[in-house]
Amino acid sequence: MRVVIAPDSFKGTASAVDVAAAVAAGWHDERPDDDLVLVPMADGGEGTMDAFAAAVPATERVPVTVTAPDGRPVETSWLRLPDGRAVVELAATSGIGLLDEPRPDTADTTGFGEAVVAALDAGVTGLLLGIGGSASTDGGVGALRALGLRLTLGEGDEAGGAHAADASTGGALLDSVTAVDRMTLRPLPPLGVTVLSDVTSPLLGPEGAATVFGPQKGVTPDRVAVHEARLAQWAALFPEVDPTTPGAGAAGGAGFGLLAWGARLGSGATAVAEALGLAETVATAHLVVTGEGRYDGQTAAGKTPAVVTALAAAARVPVGLVAGAVEADLDGFAIAASLTVIATQITGEPDDALRDPLRFARIAGARLALRAQSAPICEQPRSKET
């Protein structure tokens, strides 16, 4: 069998590269003669730069020091592509993984904006911005200030630039903003700016940034309405930008902020899949295995398993899923007779996958191989015509 293994990272616990290798090792434990093709994926969150670096020859990681979501300096990088564009990853610059503890009111996207400015200063011709994994619900105000946006605060004082002195940062800053001046914003690069988003949520409402993603960033239930009101006030300052745009609520509203800059929103997983040539690879497989740390109701909104499954469906290739936890309907993931293997099935304890994700990913890979062996999918290599 030819098996394509294309998971996303297990957020906060294991990279996509390591998960793919662990699943492959488990599969080979049971079926050592099968042809395994590892295609680590990403959807705009952590690992996006790694996926592009693996897929595109002659990329260059450019080091940069930026401001972390808690105000500390952090050493990170952006990725220069050989066509002159750059990939900047919010998770690596303003991500929740950079915090020791959540800062729901003051964490911001300043570092992300600083990395974008560094890439622009280096003369890049276009930007691919992965915005998954955010630590903040700041509507992108930190990134926009780094890009030159000037704010007028409640007392009429102007606050310009990423490091201007003011009493608050992040979402809390939005309480004081009464007007914005975009005349000093950095211009877009010649090839424009594409935002790689892993969700399609709007900025506001029951499916929006504060309600759905705020709790992931430390927003307690009694404070969701406060963050919602802040984002609504922020959106009102940009009347030409539609807050219902799918993806505007991504990364705590950073998607909306980037729309206000003039960026366009796209599917992160789709862009990475195109860079990897995944559709062509899938078309030659007997089976595709994908996965993520938590398969839930947000997965269908453009996350890696949904994109990989769509490519497999188009090629009429069955799909298996490896996940640390499953909280949504599993229709569509099948080997022959609706087979799905979940890493946590071994003990029934969801925390086990968090404590030792690669061990359980390997076990899941072995179990997938055993099921495939008992219900063979195809004995001959596939091609694009079969």
Side-chain angles (χ1 to χ4, degrees), residues 22 81 209 274 313 339 383:
L81 300 179
E274 290 174 353
L339 169 67
S383 70

Side-chain angles (χ1 to χ4, degrees), residues 333-359:
F333 290 98
I335 296 178
S338 298
L339 169 67
T340 299
V341 173
I342 305 161
T344 55
Q345 276 187 325
I346 304 305
T347 65
E349 296 292 337
D351 288 347
D352 288 346
L354 290 173
R355 284 191 291 266
D356 198 353
L358 297 182
R359 174 175 173 243

Side-chain angles (χ1 to χ4, degrees), residues 16-150:
V17 171
D18 289 341
V19 172
V23 172
W27 188 286
H28 268 157
D29 288 342
E30 302 297 338
R31 293 179 59 95
D33 297 327
D34 285 343
D35 178 21
L36 305 185
V37 181
L38 278 59
V39 189
M41 278 287 294
D43 55 18
E46 62 178 298
T48 297
M49 284 196 301
D50 291 340
F52 274 97
V56 182
T59 58
E60 176 193 1
R61 289 186 185 271
V62 181
V64 63
T65 302
V66 301
T67 306
D70 58 3
R72 295 176 297 108
V74 61
E75 302 291 331
T76 184
S77 63
W78 55 273
L79 187 72
R80 191 195 303 271
L81 300 179
D83 65 1
R85 295 180 298 167
V87 180
V88 183
E89 186 179 299
L90 188 148
T93 53
S94 299
I96 196 166
L98 298 174
L99 293 180
D100 294 328
E101 60 183 9
R103 294 173 178 260
D105 288 289
T106 59
D108 67 11
T109 52
T110 295
F112 179 56
E114 291 170 343
V116 171
V117 167
L120 292 172
D121 287 345
V124 301
T125 57
L127 290 165
L128 299 171
L129 305 180
I131 63 170
S134 169
S136 65
T137 309
D138 78 339
V141 63
L144 288 181
R145 290 182 73 193
L147 286 162
L149 182 72
R150 296 192 67 84

Side-chain angles (χ1 to χ4, degrees), residues 247-319:
F256 177 85
L258 292 168
L259 282 172
W261 185 33
R264 58 184 180 271
L265 301 185
S267 165
T270 298
V272 174
E274 290 174 353
L276 295 171
L278 185 60
E280 293 79 6
T281 303
V282 164
T284 68
H286 298 109
L287 170 69
V288 175
V289 178
T290 187
E292 62 180 343
R294 184 182 301 276
Y295 178 86
D296 58 21
Q298 298 174 23
T299 298
K303 288 182 177 284
T304 289
V307 171
V308 173
T309 301
L311 293 176
R316 303 182 66 182
V317 177
V319 183

